[in-house]
Amino acid sequence: MDIKKNGYFKLDRSPDWLGRLIFIKDGYQTDTIASVWHQAGETTEYNFIEKDTTIVRLKLLGMTN
């Protein structure tokens, strides 16, 4: 994984890994996002594929919303 200083990252393509990404940052609630999931058993959906610009916003600890 190539991590950029501005918060962006690039995942190296691997046919051997279809897992979950865990986002951790001090002062924020940890979040986990699956890279592959099934929609009601009918379709397969993907995150972080090709030029996907999925935005992950972590919740600041101590905030109520």
Side-chain angles (χ1 to χ4, degrees):
M1 179 181 335
D2 181 19
I3 300 173
K4 313 289 184 188
K5 291 186 184 267
N6 59 4
Y8 291 90
F9 62 91
K10 181 178 179 180
L11 295 173
D12 296 327
R13 180 174 276 171
S14 171
D16 301 325
W17 184 83
L18 292 174
R20 300 172 193 268
L21 290 174
I22 301 171
F23 296 89
I24 301 169
K25 184 174 180 177
D26 288 339
Y28 290 82
Q29 182 175 333
T30 299
D31 197 2
T32 304
I33 299 181
S35 61
V36 178
W37 73 96
H38 298 285
Q39 188 73 18
E42 297 176 10
T43 61
T44 301
E45 302 289 334
Y46 300 91
N47 274 328
F48 314 111
I49 303 296
E50 293 293 323
K51 296 189 183 292
D52 182 3
T53 56
T54 299
I55 295 174
V56 178
R57 297 190 194 276
L58 298 178
K59 183 177 179 181
L60 189 61
L61 291 176
M63 298 287 292
T64 56
N65 276 7

